[in-house]
Amino acid sequence: MNIQAAKKHQVGLIFGKFYPLHCGHIYLIEKAVSQVDELHVILGCEHDRDLKLFEESHMPKQPHVQDRFNWLQDTFQGRHNIHIHILDEAGISYYPNGWKDWSDRVKSILQKQQVTPTVIFTSEPQDVQNHQQYFGCDVKLIDANREFINISATKIRQAPYQNWPFIAKAARPFFVKKIAIVGGDIDKLPIQLANIYNTQYVSNGYINYIYHRRADNKQLALSETDFIRIAMLHAQRIDEALITANQVLFTSPDFSTLHRYYQSAFKRKNATLTELENRYPFDLVIDQAEFKQKESNVAIFETALKKVDAQLY
Ligand SMILES: NC(=O)c1ccc[n+]([C@@H]2O[C@H](COP(=O)([O-])OP(=O)(O)OC[C@H]3O[C@@H](n4cnc5c(N)ncnc54)[C@H](O)[C@@H]3O)[C@@H](O)[C@H]2O)c1
């Protein structure tokens, strides 16, 4: 008989909050999936606990369950034997006081999906015995000392920007701080800052649009449609740049400023621009017009650097 065929179908389980997803988690999942036929990753969430962890953190905004789920899905996209499930832990005593209720809820999810685990993977030695007791399957401990990738989600929550290299690629856009430089020579300072911070600069769609129109020899006054086109192009470029941005992203203008230009031209608000303003909140807008005329270029440069640095605590 074929030895491979005789082997039992191995089904692995991994539990986590992935708050946020980091390279240590990914290492655990990759090492586990290399030992089983299918792997089920259970993403645990609980509203009050998650909110408290956020409030005690230095994360700039709270990742919600859907964000955490998307990070896992994106990271393991196309990996057909890795399945992600959300487990709402509401009403269960917090770890480590609710093992019975918690494991019952896990089992009910698994039953619905017709999943029978054969092995649980964890890097937490203190959980091995309870996993064995409540799930009745093998437990494999992986890198309990976190020697291969020495990071924890707690450390990242405390200092996301200092621990940037460990944040999963899929989760980084969530943490990128968006900074707009408006007023004055808008293509100079953001380029300098992007160079210094080794990151992306999203060039000014408005300027490109005007140049394009000039080349076409058409009239230059912007219509309402022009504004929307500029805004949509800008949003698309920002989305693309966020994927590879290093902690911060520089651009000009932000959508509130663009909307203000629109309002002064057309004396009313625009629903699309309002939507973009809400969808792309900026962490910092540096208005060069606020600097005093007599301020030297170097003083402006230094003030801008201080403001940017303060964003990356
Ligand atoms: N209520 C209860 O009694 C009870 C009992 C057990 C589990 N739970 C739930 O299970 C989930 C457990 O989540 P967590 O806090 O362990 O999640 P986590 O997101 O911090 O970690 C997920 C997994 O990755 C491992 N890991 C973390 N850093 C690593 C690194 N650098 N290298 C290798 N592996 C690494 C962890 O050991 C864990 O196995 C929670 O939702 C918790 O509520 C609850």
Side-chain angles (χ1 to χ4, degrees), residues 220-236:
L220 287 178
L222 291 183
S223 69
E224 292 194 65
T225 320
D226 290 337
F227 264 96
I228 305 306
R229 277 185 169 166
I230 289 166
M232 298 303 277
L233 177 66
H234 203 52
Q236 188 190 331

Side-chain angles (χ1 to χ4, degrees), residues 14-20 22-25 27-28 42-46 49 68 87 89 92-100 102-103 121-124 127 131 142-144 146-154 157:
I14 281 183
F15 303 104
K17 300 191 290 292
F18 309 108
Y19 199 56
H22 60 64
C23 300
H25 294 138
Y27 166 68
L28 173 73
I42 317 284
L43 160 60
C45 58
E46 202 285 320
R49 173 200 67 190
R68 289 143 70 192
L87 175 76
E89 300 175 354
I92 298 174
S93 302
Y94 291 156
Y95 173 91
N97 301 315
W99 273 92
K100 169 80 176 69
W102 176 77
S103 57
F121 298 91
T122 179
S123 79
E124 309 286 346
D127 291 349
H131 279 315
I142 292 182
D143 200 2
R146 312 251 164 114
E147 275 161 3
F148 190 68
I149 299 187
N150 190 357
I151 192 64
S152 68
T154 310
R157 287 195 298 273

Side-chain angles (χ1 to χ4, degrees), residues 7 53 58 72 107 115 140 188 202 252 261 288 311:
K7 265 187 166 174
L53 287 175
H58 283 118
L72 284 161
K107 283 184 231 170
V115 173
K140 285 196 181 166
K188 187 173 161 235
V202 178
S252 180
Y261 294 157
Q288 295 184 99
Q311 290 288 320

Side-chain angles (χ1 to χ4, degrees), residues 108-263:
S108 80
I109 284 199
L110 296 177
Q111 259 163 20
K112 278 188 205 135
Q113 310 272 339
Q114 297 182 320
V115 173
T116 310
T118 57
V119 53
I120 290 172
F121 298 91
T122 179
S123 79
E124 309 286 346
Q126 74 278 10
D127 291 349
V128 171
Q129 207 189 336
N130 278 324
H131 279 315
Q132 276 162 345
Q133 181 185 332
Y134 289 100
F135 291 95
C137 61
D138 281 351
V139 178
K140 285 196 181 166
L141 195 57
I142 292 182
D143 200 2
N145 296 326
R146 312 251 164 114
E147 275 161 3
F148 190 68
I149 299 187
N150 190 357
I151 192 64
S152 68
T154 310
K155 271 195 201 163
I156 295 179
R157 287 195 298 273
Q158 285 318 311
Y161 300 99
Q162 276 77 8
N163 290 299
W164 188 259
F166 294 108
I167 299 179
K169 216 164 47 174
R172 286 184 190 166
F174 178 90
F175 290 93
V176 170
K177 294 268 181 131
K178 293 194 281 302
I179 299 179
I181 316 286
V182 301
D185 186 355
I186 45 170
D187 266 358
K188 187 173 161 235
L189 191 53
I191 291 175
Q192 290 181 293
L193 294 170
N195 267 342
I196 293 167
Y197 285 90
N198 199 16
T199 190
Q200 297 287 346
Y201 161 62
V202 178
S203 69
N204 186 286
Y206 173 78
I207 298 287
N208 292 341
Y209 192 79
I210 295 281
Y211 285 159
H212 172 74
R213 295 269 304 257
R214 267 192 194 143
D216 283 357
N217 262 340
K218 291 190 184 144
Q219 52 118 349
L220 287 178
L222 291 183
S223 69
E224 292 194 65
T225 320
D226 290 337
F227 264 96
I228 305 306
R229 277 185 169 166
I230 289 166
M232 298 303 277
L233 177 66
H234 203 52
Q236 188 190 331
R237 285 184 173 159
I238 288 174
D239 282 339
E240 282 162 13
L242 281 172
I243 297 169
T244 48
N246 177 28
Q247 306 179 46
V248 269
L249 176 142
F250 297 96
T251 189
S252 180
D254 61 304
F255 292 100
S256 302
T257 306
L258 193 63
H259 203 176
R260 271 202 305 282
Y261 294 157
Y262 174 95
Q263 282 173 269

Side-chain angles (χ1 to χ4, degrees), residues 3-20:
I3 295 174
Q4 284 292 336
K7 265 187 166 174
K8 194 174 163 196
H9 186 80
Q10 292 290 326
V11 179
L13 281 189
I14 281 183
F15 303 104
K17 300 191 290 292
F18 309 108
Y19 199 56

